[in-house]
Amino acid sequence: MLMIGLGQAGKSIANLFKPHTKNYKIIILDEGEGLETKESVEEYDQIDFKFRQRGLKSHDEAILFVCGSGKVAGASLRVLEALKDFGTSVYYVVPDLEFCSREEKLRHKVHFGVIQEYARSGMIDEIVILDNKSLMRIAGAGTTLKYFEKVNYLIYSTIQNLMYCRHTNPDFGKIHEKKDISRISTIGFGKFDEEEKLMFPLDNITETCYIINIEEEDLDNDPQVIPNCQALVRENKEKGRDTSFAIWRSSEENHFYSLHYTHYVQEVTK
């Protein structure tokens, strides 16, 4: 799988996957780093982009990490065009709009809308939306010079966990097969005794899958594991969502990730 970091935020996330080069090929694209330096977002949108790295043909899937408020994000569509032969997911990080300039807000609005339409039309497999404010509430902020470090690590560790479960048979249940039109999504995280936290406040959720990690001792001895999982599913079904769950054994404290899907375009107004 290709892991492509576009811009400062994107490359900070993609670089965390470098210890796993047996599974991923890491590609960094930023000003003067895989991309020529341009003066404006419009110029980045007009670049003639092609991947020049070797070994791409041995991969058939790609993830693009990008935050749409930066100038370099203007190259997003050119990069996605170069990925047309790959099954591509975009992990789009919504900036904290409260502290964005007018120009940054405008860039985000354009990129966010266009990439969602790319997903809806099937030009990419999906867009996974992650909101910086929501991520901060889950992971907390780092120190001044490493303010986004915890957030980036949360994104990295979440994807690593989901990739493991995707390629490993569950101990109970099965991974939800979403409808083809459900290409706009986000991820949640929670524990059975805590409220689930979404990484973006996705509107009009139509489908949900719970990826549940349970300590091995509890798998063998706790009769409440299945009822607790069923309660999560029941709550979503009552909201009209097509919902399922699957369980994997874990060496960590019991927790779950949730994959929430919709086909409705999302808006961010604040």
Side-chain angles (χ1 to χ4, degrees):
M1 175 177 282
L2 306 182
M3 292 287 190
I4 304 158
L6 177 60
Q8 183 61 51
K11 75 178 185 181
S12 295
I13 300 167
N15 277 330
L16 292 173
F17 291 88
K18 283 188 173 178
H20 311 285
T21 51
K22 287 185 178 181
N23 299 321
Y24 310 118
K25 183 174 182 63
I26 313 304
I27 299 174
I28 302 302
L29 302 173
D30 201 1
E31 293 182 308
E33 191 173 2
L35 293 174
E36 292 183 16
T37 300
K38 302 294 184 181
E39 295 298 321
S40 68
V41 66
E42 291 79 13
E43 288 183 273
Y44 278 109
D45 184 47
Q46 295 170 8
I47 63 172
D48 180 18
F49 178 80
K50 293 181 181 179
F51 287 102
R52 305 191 184 281
Q53 291 82 358
R54 295 181 178 180
L56 299 190
K57 291 184 179 179
S58 62
H59 302 269
D60 56 9
E61 294 181 286
I63 289 178
L64 173 66
F65 299 102
V66 63
C67 176
S69 60
K71 284 192 300 184
V72 181
S76 297
L77 300 189
R78 306 289 79 82
V79 174
L80 291 176
E81 287 172 2
L83 291 168
K84 63 183 180 181
D85 295 328
F86 295 81
T88 302
S89 299
V90 175
Y91 278 69
Y92 185 99
V93 180
V94 176
D96 188 341
L97 297 176
E98 181 181 0
F99 299 104
C100 284
S101 67
R102 179 180 177 277
E103 291 78 11
E104 289 170 333
K105 290 178 181 178
L106 181 59
R107 292 174 198 150
H108 157 67
K109 181 178 180 180
V110 171
H111 295 136
F112 191 48
V114 171
I115 294 175
Q116 287 187 79
E117 291 299 339
Y118 260 50
R120 278 167 50 90
S121 67
M123 296 180 71
I124 59 175
D125 285 3
E126 67 174 338
I127 176 173
V128 183
I129 308 171
L130 308 171
D131 173 60
N132 257 334
K133 274 190 174 181
S134 300
L135 293 166
M136 285 288 183
R137 285 193 287 268
I138 297 171
T143 58
T144 303
L145 297 181
K146 297 181 179 179
Y147 188 70
F148 293 107
E149 191 173 75
K150 291 183 178 180
V151 163
N152 294 337
Y153 187 83
L154 172 63
I155 296 170
Y156 154 77
S157 61
T158 297
I159 294 173
Q160 278 289 86
N161 188 293
L162 295 177
M163 287 293 181
Y164 170 80
C165 293
R166 175 182 169 188
H167 294 98
T168 307
N169 290 329
D171 293 280
F172 187 94
K174 62 180 181 178
I175 292 183
H176 178 77
E177 295 184 10
K178 67 180 181 67
K179 296 181 178 68
D180 187 57
I181 63 169
S182 301
R183 295 174 179 266
I184 298 172
S185 67
T186 194
I187 304 169
F189 176 81
K191 299 178 181 179
F192 291 116
D193 58 348
E194 297 178 4
E195 184 179 359
E196 178 182 354
K197 300 178 178 67
L198 296 187
M199 298 184 184
F200 172 80
L202 196 71
D203 288 330
N204 298 307
I205 296 170
T206 57
E207 301 180 61
T208 295
C209 175
Y210 285 97
I211 306 295
I212 300 173
N213 295 167
I214 300 293
E215 287 184 294
E216 191 158 359
E217 183 177 348
D218 286 346
L219 279 181
D220 293 333
N221 300 308
D222 187 354
Q224 288 302 116
V225 168
I226 298 299
N228 286 339
C229 295
Q230 291 173 334
L232 289 173
V233 171
R234 189 176 298 114
E235 181 178 346
N236 278 268
K237 284 186 175 293
E238 289 172 353
K239 297 176 181 178
R241 302 171 184 171
D242 187 4
T243 309
S244 63
F245 72 91
I247 298 173
W248 284 259
R249 65 186 65 237
S250 174
S251 59
E252 300 177 4
E253 183 182 3
N254 297 347
H255 63 280
F256 62 82
Y257 296 96
S258 50
L259 309 178
H260 298 280
Y261 302 98
T262 187
H263 55 274
Y264 293 96
V265 170
Q266 307 293 297
E267 295 185 7
V268 177
T269 58
K270 296 182 181 181

